Amino acid sequence: MPGMVAFGRRWNVGSDDLVIPSVLEIFLRVAWITGIAVVFQLHKDTFNCQGGHLLKTYYIGILTIMALLTIIAICTAYLSLQGTIVHTAPRRNIPKLMYLKLGVTIPELGWNVVGSYWAFSDSTGCDIHVIDAVKGAVITGFILAAMIIIALAITFDPLGAKKRGFGDVSSSQDADGQLESSESGQMISGMSTAAHRAWRSRCRFLCCCLSGDEHSNSAFNDIAQLLADFFEEEVDLVPTDVAAGMVLVKIEQDKATQHLSSVYVNPPITNANMSTANVSTDLMQEGQHSNGTTPGQTSATRCAPKEWMTIDMMAHYMKFASASYGWPLYVFSHLCTGVCRLSTSCSVHAYKSFPDRRNTEKMDCCEAVRDCIAEERDCPLCCSCARPLEYVENDNCCLCNTATIKKVTEIVEEDIVYANFHNKVYEIPFFVAFDHSCGSVVIAVRGTLSLRDVLTDLTADSDTLEIEGIEGSHAHKGMIQAAKFIKAKLESKGILSSALQQVEGYRLVITGHSLGAGTAALLAVLLKPQYPNLMCFAFSPPGGLMSVPASQHCEDFICSVVLGKDIVPRLSVSTMQDLKVKTLRALKDSTQPKHKIFATGCWHALCKLSVPEDDRRLLAESSNISNYRTAERDIEEALQNAILSCTRSRITNRILYPPGQVMHIVETEADSGCCGSPTFEAMWSHPKNFLDIIVSPRMLADHMPDAVTKALEHLQERNARIQHTAHQQAVAV
């Protein structure tokens, strides 16, 4: 920090971000200087070919230019290593080096044009090694130029000119040197409007393939306002400053792991004791939130989990949640064999002996193609011969998503009641199927798999959730809309009533993962009055989903499953504000350069090592270095503003939580290390224990459906071993 100012505008790169780019440039240029110098020395007497005088001039010129650029890169790398994130004074000359670099790069481009002309068109009769050396130098030069252009595009700040103007207030100051209040208000208002427009444009650019319907436009506006408010520039930070702050937050969390209620471990859960576990605020009273409050003082005792909330049931219905993602997740999980495995489930009408006749026999895609080849006739593609299914809407031409449902859940085609893969903003895919093994009708809702789903996720404002007899019930706006869409689709087609009539005595089960988990939970709330015995399994549900009254209302029929340090169940507007405060505080207290922070964080993240005392000093007790008091004062002011904003947000905005009963699966530390295999334990937790985002390399990996499935299967196997051992001991007695 701050963002580097050059050419009259601010850029999204700090003066301490140039270490790695400069080092890479140094190695590349030194390698080519060495190669070109060797070729020039060995063939300096052979410049009598056509254009030889131009060749000699080119060699001398390119060696000189590369040497100058290498020296500039060395100086840039050295200066970029100086100071700290806050202490920028030792790096104040880096913009001058950038101007100097530009002044030398322009002649280099011209020299590359000359080299291109000579090497590729005017080099008749010259030694092949000489020509290849020139071609290599030319290509290297153009590659570096392309990399510079890409770097400029990445670091370009569309609001850079406005931010630069905001920093230069001399023209707007009154006689006392103070900014006029009206002018200040207009400037801040203008920047806020510009930021909102910039984020809306970014969202539209990233989602350019989406249709501009009413839902999409509304989502763009809501998300742009949310992002503009959250990333409001209270202090001049670049993205790498934020990343370094996150590393520091992780180090601080590692120091105080025992105080994080989000990772508090109770006695492990097995199928034998799950239904009798008492989930109360005593769980929270044994630990405290990072803000020092005791969660147990804010909520009444919670009821015990229901008897059906077992590991086996969770693992079983996780298959349906995973199947809802269709073929993309299945192929991703089985990169080498996924396509062939699915082909055995793709039901097609195959052409048989006579090309003018179709047969209704079901064959897999590979078998159909082999049959065509054996009969020496044209082989229709699977997508052209797939049999359309009346109960499947918007699947692809090969019905790959339907095939995945059958493959993952191990049900037959006749058990699929309805599948809808239609996907728009607030309208997400789902399927309904019979589960005869557990006597249930299952609704599985897909999680985030497209940009449309991301827009639904990010529409994170709270909206009223109508629950009879419950006041103050609110939930995630985007997911309420998605749940209402599914409910309307089910009712308009009479799907549930028809399915439950076919299998009398079956129970309705709703499940999903991530976005699908949040939508499934809200759909369960909406369908609860009609189907009082329904159950819901929400895997890795969003943290900002339900208000306290709604979450408590769901304790009897919703079971949430959270794996490890998954960020999504902890993610909400309030927790993001809290993480912002922690990041700014960590940056303020740090006295180490950014490259050392990243090196330390990467080293410990790779092998999951504990943080030694020397590295913990990356966070100082206080930072009282006199020569950068101004920067400290700026970040201190930003920190205080962030704290006030976080406090105000908690007061004015509703804090939302995961739904119902929450089972937390935690990876134990016994097998940690580079090559260790994870061992899991499970405990019942309180939704309010997920109010802190835990910074970790696993914060995204723990959210993946495969990771949740493996953890549940591990717990299943462990429970089976425990029960088997207990049975053997009982028999022996």
Side-chain angles (χ1 to χ4, degrees):
M1 66 170 292
M4 195 164 60
V5 176
F7 307 105
R9 66 180 304 115
R10 176 194 178 274
W11 299 80
N12 274 327
V13 61
S15 56
D16 51 356
D17 293 332
L18 305 178
V19 178
I20 294 179
S22 298
V23 170
L24 293 177
E25 182 182 1
I26 291 169
F27 279 115
L28 190 59
R29 291 195 182 278
V30 168
W32 274 114
I33 287 174
T34 303
I36 293 175
V38 170
V39 173
F40 180 74
Q41 181 65 26
L42 293 177
H43 300 276
K44 62 182 178 181
D45 297 328
T46 62
F47 294 143
N48 53 0
C49 57
Q50 181 179 346
H53 64 286
L54 184 60
L55 167 64
K56 187 173 183 178
T57 304
Y58 173 81
Y59 265 89
I60 296 174
I62 198 64
L63 285 171
T64 304
I65 292 174
M66 282 195 169
L68 288 175
L69 289 172
T70 302
I71 294 173
I72 294 174
I74 292 173
C75 295
T76 302
Y78 173 76
L79 288 180
S80 189
L81 289 169
Q82 307 306 307
T84 66
I85 295 177
V86 179
H87 187 201
T88 61
R91 304 189 298 270
R92 59 183 177 275
N93 290 323
I94 282 186
K96 298 177 182 177
L97 287 175
M98 295 297 100
Y99 292 133
L100 181 60
K101 182 182 180 67
L102 177 64
V104 181
T105 301
I106 294 176
E108 182 189 27
L109 292 176
W111 220 248
N112 279 333
V113 173
V114 174
S116 300
Y117 171 77
W118 180 87
F120 293 97
S121 65
D122 193 25
S123 56
T124 305
C126 295
D127 187 278
I128 187 64
H129 298 94
V130 176
I131 297 174
D132 289 343
V134 175
K135 288 181 178 180
V138 168
I139 293 172
T140 302
F142 283 124
I143 290 175
L144 288 173
M147 292 172 63
I148 291 174
I149 293 174
I150 293 173
L152 290 175
I154 293 174
T155 60
F156 179 79
D157 183 359
L159 301 179
K162 294 181 179 293
K163 292 173 182 175
R164 171 63 177 162
F166 183 72
D168 183 12
V169 298
S170 58
S171 60
S172 302
Q173 290 177 342
D174 59 16
D176 297 328
Q178 301 295 325
L179 192 68
E180 293 284 354
S181 59
S182 59
E183 295 175 358
S184 175
Q186 293 173 2
M187 186 176 299
I188 294 173
S189 176
M191 288 184 63
S192 177
T193 303
H196 181 273
R197 280 200 306 267
W199 280 109
R200 185 173 57 189
S201 299
R202 290 167 181 166
C203 292
R204 288 186 178 277
F205 175 77
L206 292 174
C207 307
C208 57
C209 58
L210 303 186
S211 59
D213 57 19
E214 181 180 354
H215 285 168
S216 298
N217 293 330
S218 175
F220 285 142
N221 287 326
D222 291 343
I223 295 168
Q225 188 60 54
L226 175 68
L227 295 175
D229 292 342
F230 181 78
F231 291 105
E232 183 179 0
E233 293 292 347
E234 296 162 333
V235 65
D236 193 356
L237 296 176
V238 297
T240 53
D241 293 336
V242 178
M246 298 277 280
V247 173
L248 294 172
V249 171
K250 172 178 169 31
I251 294 174
E252 183 66 22
Q253 289 178 345
D254 288 344
K255 290 169 56 179
T257 301
Q258 66 273 19
H259 299 303
L260 286 176
S261 59
S262 296
V263 295
Y264 177 76
V265 180
N266 294 316
I269 294 175
T270 65
N271 287 328
N273 65 13
M274 287 182 70
S275 61
T276 59
N278 182 24
V279 181
S280 68
T281 53
D282 293 339
L283 290 177
M284 297 183 301
Q285 289 172 349
E286 296 183 30
Q288 289 187 337
H289 286 292
S290 58
N291 59 10
T293 61
T294 303
Q297 298 174 351
T298 63
S299 176
T301 300
R302 298 167 62 85
C303 64
K306 297 301 179 181
E307 59 184 9
W308 51 266
M309 298 180 181
T310 65
I311 295 290
D312 288 339
M313 292 285 281
M314 295 172 193
H316 178 74
Y317 286 108
M318 182 62 204
K319 295 180 181 179
F320 287 84
S322 297
S324 65
Y325 282 96
W327 69 267
L329 178 63
Y330 188 85
V331 173
F332 176 78
S333 302
H334 307 82
L335 291 176
C336 298
T337 60
V339 175
C340 290
R341 290 186 182 188
L342 283 182
S343 68
T344 62
S345 299
C346 291
S347 176
V348 300
H349 284 296
Y351 287 94
K352 298 304 286 182
S353 300
F354 300 97
D356 59 345
R357 187 177 68 182
R358 289 178 183 264
N359 190 298
T360 58
E361 179 182 349
K362 294 179 182 178
M363 305 178 66
D364 65 74
C365 290
C366 296
E367 186 180 352
V369 173
R370 286 196 301 268
D371 182 70
C372 295
I373 296 174
E375 298 180 7
E376 298 182 351
R377 53 184 171 77
D378 293 336
C379 297
L381 296 175
C382 286
C383 60
S384 65
C385 59
R387 176 169 62 90
L389 303 176
E390 295 181 357
Y391 53 83
V392 176
E393 296 183 5
N394 300 105
D395 199 353
N396 57 26
C397 55
C398 289
L399 300 177
C400 292
N401 293 308
T402 306
T404 303
I405 293 174
K406 295 185 292 182
K407 190 74 175 179
V408 175
T409 61
E410 300 177 348
I411 62 176
V412 297
E413 186 173 299
E414 290 72 18
D415 289 337
I416 301 178
V417 179
Y418 177 75
N420 189 329
F421 299 99
H422 166 80
N423 190 204
K424 293 179 68 176
V425 179
Y426 306 148
E427 300 174 6
I428 58 181
F430 68 98
F431 72 88
V432 182
F434 293 125
D435 176 24
H436 298 298
S437 63
C438 291
S440 61
V441 175
V442 182
I443 303 175
V445 187
R446 196 189 77 180
T448 303
L449 197 62
S450 69
L451 290 174
R452 297 175 178 88
D453 298 332
V454 173
L455 294 180
T456 303
D457 284 320
L458 293 178
T459 309
D461 290 340
S462 62
D463 200 359
T464 301
L465 178 63
E466 297 180 0
I467 304 177
E468 185 177 357
I470 304 296
E471 297 182 358
S473 178
H474 297 83
H476 188 288
K477 178 180 179 181
M479 295 180 195
I480 288 179
Q481 298 297 322
K484 289 181 177 179
F485 162 76
I486 296 176
K487 182 174 183 289
K489 184 70 69 173
L490 294 172
E491 291 177 345
S492 65
K493 295 181 176 292
I495 295 170
L496 289 183
S497 58
S498 174
L500 290 172
Q501 286 176 2
Q502 296 179 44
V503 285
E504 186 176 354
Y506 276 32
R507 192 171 189 175
L508 179 61
V509 176
I510 308 175
T511 187
H513 173 269
S514 188
L515 167 64
T519 304
L522 295 174
L523 179 63
V525 173
L526 297 178
L527 294 178
K528 179 67 173 176
Q530 299 171 251
Y531 307 96
N533 293 326
L534 68 78
M535 303 183 301
C536 177
F537 290 93
F539 300 96
S540 307
L545 184 64
M546 292 182 177
S547 58
V548 171
S551 181
Q552 292 177 343
H553 171 73
C554 300
E555 292 173 5
D556 290 337
F557 60 93
I558 295 181
C559 176
S560 297
V561 179
V562 177
L563 174 60
K565 300 176 181 179
D566 185 358
I567 185 175
V568 173
R570 299 173 171 86
L571 196 62
S572 65
V573 175
S574 59
T575 57
M576 287 295 294
Q577 291 282 1
D578 182 63
L579 181 62
K580 182 178 180 180
V581 171
K582 292 179 180 177
T583 302
L584 289 173
R585 181 178 289 115
L587 290 174
K588 181 184 75 71
D589 292 340
S590 174
T591 59
Q592 297 295 330
K594 192 184 296 183
H595 68 274
K596 184 174 181 180
I597 295 173
F598 283 137
T600 302
C602 290
W603 172 252
H604 295 296
L606 288 176
C607 291
K608 302 180 182 179
L609 300 177
S610 59
V611 182
E613 288 299 322
D614 290 343
D615 291 335
R616 292 179 182 180
R617 295 194 186 103
L618 290 171
L619 291 172
E621 293 298 326
S622 61
S623 309
N624 295 320
I625 302 176
S626 58
N627 58 347
Y628 56 100
R629 290 284 188 179
T630 302
E632 275 196 355
R633 188 165 54 250
D634 291 342
I635 198 168
E636 176 67 31
E637 182 179 351
L639 174 61
Q640 296 303 321
N641 291 337
I643 293 174
L644 290 175
S645 177
C646 182
T647 304
R648 185 167 56 249
S649 175
R650 289 181 177 272
I651 295 174
T652 59
N653 297 329
R654 300 176 184 90
I655 300 178
L656 306 180
Y657 304 90
Q661 305 283 1
V662 181
M663 194 192 77
H664 190 196
I665 303 174
V666 180
E667 180 178 344
T668 61
E669 298 297 329
D671 295 323
S672 64
C674 291
C675 302
S677 58
T679 301
F680 297 98
E681 300 288 350
M683 87 290 299
W684 290 111
S685 188
H686 194 289
K688 290 187 177 181
N689 287 349
F690 297 89
L691 291 180
D692 291 308
I693 294 176
I694 301 177
V695 180
S696 168
R698 297 290 308 175
M699 62 196 302
L700 295 178
D702 283 347
H703 184 67
M704 298 300 293
D706 283 356
V708 179
T709 299
K710 291 178 181 177
L712 289 171
E713 290 175 350
H714 172 89
L715 292 173
Q716 266 189 307
E717 294 172 359
R718 190 201 63 182
N719 290 344
R721 289 194 301 269
I722 293 174
Q723 293 174 3
H724 178 70
T725 302
H727 176 71
Q728 287 182 330
Q729 292 175 349
V731 171
V733 172

